[in-house]
Amino acid sequence: MSNESPEQGSNAGYAVPDETGHFGRYGGRFVAETLMHALDELDDLYRELKDDPAFRDELADDLRRYVGRPTPLYFAERFTEAVGGPRIYLKREDLNHTGAHKVNNTVGQALLAKRMGKPRLIAETGAGQHGVATATVAARLGLKCDVYMGSEDIKRQSLNVYRMKLLGARVIPVTSGSRTLKDAMNEAMRDWVTNVDDTHYIIGTVAGPHPYPMMVRDFQSIIGTETRAQCLQDLGRLPDVLVACVGGGSNAIGLFYPFIADQQVRLVGVEAGGLGIETGRHAAPLAAGVPGVLHGNRTYLMEDDDGQIIETHSISAGLDYPGVGPEHSYLKDIGRAEYASVTDDEALNAFRQLTRIEGIMPALESSHALAWVQREGPAMDRDICLVINLSGRGDKDILTVAELDGIEL
Amino acid sequence: MSRIEGRLSELRNAGRKALVTFITAGDPNVDASVPALHALVRGGADILELGMPFSDPEAEGPSIQRSSERALAGGITLRRMFDMVAAFRTEDAATPVVLMGYLNALERTGYPEFVEQAHGAGVDGLIIVNLPPEEAQPLKQLTDRCDMNLIFMVAPTTTEERMQLIVEQAGGFVYYVSLKGVTGANHLRPDSIPDQVAALRRHTNHPIMIGFGIKDAAAARSVSRYGDGVVVGSVLVDTMADLADDPTAIPVALQNQIAEFRAALDSD
């Protein structure tokens, strides 16, 4: 591991967000007045603790002994041969405790909740990975935990729902709107407004009002910090291309952030193209959205001519969100990162191929990043080193895949 | 002086409390709103808030969430909402109308275009729930130019430092949110209000309207003592929802319901 703290990348010259949480025109803090003071308090505490050696040691220790970090950087030899292009490495976030990168953030925010003395955690979840990661840290610290989840997502992620219940959390079905991740986030905000005195809201991605996009990025940047050190050690140089799926965008920003100042490293975020961008049935606001304000920040959104948020579609519940973290909007506009999309079918093919030839079953979310490499990799030079963030494991998705295969389990 | 400021100053001079009402534009259908607004005025409303339906109303309780869903299903658009206000104005040039909703409608339309259309239709003020004063300068510059009031909220969690920041920007009145929670919540505790409103009084001469969770005339009467008026919303929206299948009955029902609130406020 490098000497840098997990929270900080190596980013001289890249200084967003500003004091008020703005990434250029994006980000900020657009919430009801009732929450403003709680956000101020959270911001103050986080700024104080992020550079506090005792806090950093405690976090690093939790990440090592409880989460199982560092995660390996794995050379996927047979996947590399199958793609027939760059040398492909997988950053194995699927090997984290609870099976995805989400726990990097919940461990950090749980420490904040403990310092604030708040006995109750709430979270929103789509695929259930963030809900499981929140329920996990709540169980460990003896905190009460309520997880909001769209009733549609509860259907397609029943395994994770049961995991959360086993961990002692209450899973509250959300039946408003499209009954998916965005509606779960609305309901979590309503809960927080009502219970702000004794409750900490652990937002699971790099969205929401300031300081969440910054704070979640910092906690997730352990992914890129480790990747950087591992590349320097294993390859003797930095990678050429980084690829990650983007829903809210926390695993992508976690990988990208420590490389942003390394202009030679190409950063590729892959959105959920659903049934195809041209059909309108997708979850790719960076590809087909416009800037607007939702869930506390300004960012690219999928909406109609009146600014009503429109329903999204993705085979992957974790990517099924009409917005995206504001820092991705900023990175898109300044041209530092590029954003592409792959369809449900392409992601499924990648899921099957990686499972069969590497013995690694990826989450459907992460399969979007793999699918982009399958599609674009053959045109790349063979001496290119490419890292894919394998952000989660696919066990939670087997019911979805089995159903598509016509198999009832 | 804006129409809101004029109305509130008349009430203050007369020693009366203001009655502010909220209904959602286009709920339960596009044709229901203008007759409903007139009925509220006949029943004794002083200021009319018209909710701008949004797909993701994150500060609203179930009543107003569902009213947004009904209105959107019924085909409400921003254009139709402005047309409603303009239609209301042809018969009522006196009662202030305030649009209340979420910022994304303005982000999409463009702030200058939105303010111009609202002003042109006869709108007197805006309450944008998710626009705190820190982010409000660009909009405030536009509303100031046409004598439209940008109205801000103060919550039970607002510190005195923030109160000062808010009142410096506030136009028309200050909206005191009477509970920690969403609109229409069931846990209003009137005894928690006086201290916070007294603190707010030390920072501003603006009239203070108290709202959220005021369910009946008795609650309105007890809460109104601490401020200059009350805001009533979810219970009116519930009345309209109950009559969604018989919309012609809505105006009379609203008029009678709000008349009870009026009588209670005037009884002190």
Side-chain angles (χ1 to χ4, degrees):
Chain A
M1 234 166 96
S2 78
N3 293 328
E4 277 138 10
S5 76
E7 303 97 310
Q8 290 171 328
S10 51
N11 268 319
Y14 178 78
V16 291
D18 64 15
E19 282 285 309
T20 53
H22 292 87
F23 301 84
R25 65 182 291 211
Y26 301 105
R29 190 182 277 173
F30 297 91
V31 295
E33 174 60 25
T34 310
L35 294 178
M36 289 299 287
H37 181 61
L39 292 168
D40 277 339
E41 279 186 334
L42 182 61
D43 192 29
D44 289 347
L45 178 74
Y46 177 65
R47 281 176 198 279
E48 181 195 320
L49 288 184
K50 65 183 274 194
D51 298 318
D52 172 42
F55 178 79
R56 279 164 49 171
D57 286 351
E58 193 178 359
L59 178 59
D61 201 59
D62 277 357
L63 291 174
R64 188 166 62 248
R65 295 176 205 272
Y66 187 68
V67 175
R69 302 204 70 92
T71 58
L73 184 70
Y74 166 75
F75 175 53
E77 191 171 357
R78 295 189 71 209
F79 189 61
T80 294
E81 280 169 23
V83 170
R87 293 174 64 79
I88 300 167
Y89 295 81
L90 304 178
K91 179 61 173 165
R92 297 290 308 276
E93 291 300 299
D94 59 316
L95 294 177
N96 284 322
H97 179 46
T98 71
H101 71 290
K102 293 292 186 188
V103 72
N104 299 327
N105 169 46
T106 59
V107 161
Q109 288 203 47
L111 291 179
L112 294 178
K114 205 166 82 175
R115 298 279 177 128
M116 289 186 284
K118 294 197 170 179
R120 177 172 177 259
L121 300 177
I122 57 171
E124 83 294 337
T125 198
Q129 290 302 103
H130 173 58
V132 166
T134 303
T136 297
V137 297
R140 179 176 177 232
L141 296 178
L143 303 176
K144 201 170 167 234
C145 181
D146 287 334
V147 179
Y148 289 92
M149 188 167 187
S151 56
E152 275 303 306
D153 291 339
I154 285 179
K155 267 191 257 168
R156 51 182 170 172
Q157 300 289 345
S158 55
L159 290 175
N160 271 343
V161 172
Y162 189 55
R163 285 170 82 193
M164 287 184 266
K165 289 180 178 167
L166 287 173
L167 288 160
R170 220 165 35 135
V171 179
I172 303 174
V174 177
T175 56
S176 56
S178 60
R179 305 172 182 204
T180 60
L181 180 54
K182 82 168 173 75
D183 310 285
M185 199 150 177
N186 290 333
E187 211 52 44
M189 302 268 278
R190 291 177 189 126
D191 181 313
W192 202 32
V193 164
T194 306
N195 301 295
V196 61
D197 292 334
D198 74 345
T199 297
H200 176 60
Y201 178 17
I202 301 193
I203 293 182
T205 191
V206 285
H210 179 66
Y212 284 100
M214 170 182 78
M215 191 170 72
V216 178
R217 172 196 73 191
D218 291 353
F219 286 136
Q220 290 294 359
S221 68
I222 184 75
I223 302 170
T225 302
E226 283 178 9
T227 301
R228 208 167 191 284
Q230 288 165 325
C231 284
L232 291 172
Q233 189 181 332
D234 297 357
L235 319 176
R237 65 183 182 88
L238 293 179
D240 301 295
V241 187
L242 304 177
V243 186
C245 66
V246 177
S250 69
N251 90 82
I253 215 76
L255 177 64
F256 294 172
Y257 183 58
F259 292 91
I260 286 176
D262 303 308
Q263 293 292 335
Q264 74 276 24
V265 179
R266 184 180 172 196
L267 310 177
V268 182
V270 185
E271 293 188 296
L275 304 180
I277 299 293
E278 69 288 350
T279 67
R281 303 269 296 140
H282 58 83
L286 291 168
V290 296
V293 168
L294 178 70
H295 293 154
N297 68 96
R298 184 179 286 117
T299 193
Y300 279 88
L301 299 173
M302 289 177 54
E303 61 180 44
D304 69 12
D305 291 344
D306 262 10
Q308 306 293 349
I309 306 306
I310 55 179
E311 291 195 11
T312 53
H313 167 81
S314 171
I315 191 171
S316 141
L319 302 182
D320 208 349
Y321 181 68
V324 61
E327 190 161 13
H328 287 295
S329 296
Y330 177 70
L331 290 171
K332 171 188 157 85
D333 281 11
I334 65 171
R336 178 62 189 94
E338 60 193 282
Y339 295 89
S341 67
V342 304
T343 63
D344 287 351
D345 287 345
E346 290 173 305
L348 266 171
N349 285 338
F351 170 91
R352 293 180 197 282
Q353 188 180 36
L354 196 78
T355 302
R356 290 297 291 272
I357 68 174
E358 291 287 354
I360 297 172
M361 190 179 293
L364 285 176
E365 289 79 14
S366 323
S367 299
H368 285 70
L370 295 161
W372 182 85
V373 174
Q374 283 182 321
R375 192 176 72 202
E376 305 295 333
M380 292 181 194
D381 288 343
R382 288 179 180 249
D383 56 356
I384 281 180
C385 289
L386 181 150
V387 177
I388 299 172
N389 195 358
L390 199 74
S391 54
R393 68 180 186 219
D395 309 45
K396 70 183 174 58
D397 295 313
I398 55 176
L399 291 179
T400 303
V401 176
E403 194 181 314
L404 288 167
D405 285 342
I407 295 167
E408 202 176 319
L409 295 178
Chain B
M1 191 184 282
S2 74
R3 212 166 352 216
I4 297 170
E5 290 155 355
R7 173 59 58 94
L8 290 173
S9 123
E10 284 164 23
L11 287 165
R12 187 175 268 186
N13 292 338
R16 295 179 75 204
K17 302 293 185 183
L19 180 53
V20 183
T21 59
F22 173 98
I23 60 172
T24 298
D27 171 40
N29 61 61
V30 174
D31 298 326
S33 298
V34 175
L37 292 172
H38 287 304
L40 291 167
V41 174
R42 284 195 302 275
D46 297 303
I47 296 176
L48 302 169
E49 289 179 9
L50 191 58
M52 304 190 278
F54 182 44
S55 53
D56 294 80
E58 63 202 24
E60 313 302 340
S63 290
I64 296 179
Q65 284 176 47
R66 284 197 290 266
S67 77
S68 270
E69 289 176 9
R70 281 191 301 270
L72 290 168
I76 187 68
T77 60
L78 290 172
R79 182 68 261 159
R80 285 178 174 159
M81 183 186 69
F82 291 133
D83 288 346
M84 278 172 196
V85 179
F88 172 80
R89 275 277 167 263
T90 60
E91 290 176 42
D92 185 335
T95 309
V97 174
V98 175
L99 295 180
M100 180 166 180
Y102 293 81
L103 186 60
N104 206 42
L106 287 77
E107 293 271 322
R108 181 64 190 218
T109 311
Y111 291 6
E113 293 79 4
F114 186 96
V115 170
E116 190 188 321
Q117 289 174 47
H119 182 61
V123 171
D124 305 293
L126 299 176
I127 303 173
I128 308 299
V129 178
N130 60 345
L131 182 66
E134 286 89 336
E135 301 278 3
Q137 265 312 310
L139 180 59
K140 185 164 168 57
Q141 285 172 9
L142 295 164
T143 51
D144 280 353
R145 247 179 258 160
C146 57
D147 219 10
M148 194 185 286
N149 293 133
L150 190 55
I151 294 156
F152 289 95
M153 297 174 139
V154 167
T157 52
T158 303
T159 58
E160 290 223 22
E161 194 183 351
R162 286 194 57 77
M163 281 183 190
Q164 187 57 35
L165 175 76
I166 291 166
V167 300
E168 280 167 12
Q169 306 247 6
F173 58 86
V174 178
Y175 190 140
Y176 181 72
V177 177
S178 45
L179 50 79
K180 289 173 201 157
V182 294
T183 51
N186 285 317
H187 56 277
L188 179 65
R189 286 181 47 242
D191 56 341
S192 66
I193 296 171
D195 289 350
Q196 277 285 88
V197 172
L200 185 53
R201 288 265 189 234
R202 290 197 289 275
H203 293 274
T204 185
N205 290 320
H206 279 303
I208 298 170
M209 300 300 133
I210 303 175
F212 275 42
I214 298 175
K215 299 273 186 186
D216 53 36
R221 185 182 170 200
S222 72
V223 163
S224 73
R225 292 183 185 127
Y226 309 122
D228 300 293
V230 296
V231 187
V232 179
S234 294
V235 290
L236 302 175
V237 168
D238 287 342
T239 298
M240 297 179 76
D242 291 343
L243 295 172
D245 295 331
D246 183 16
T248 53
I250 287 175
V252 171
L254 283 182
Q255 183 178 338
N256 292 340
Q257 188 177 12
I258 211 63
E260 286 177 33
F261 283 85
R262 177 81 268 164
L265 292 189
D266 290 346
S267 66
D268 268 340

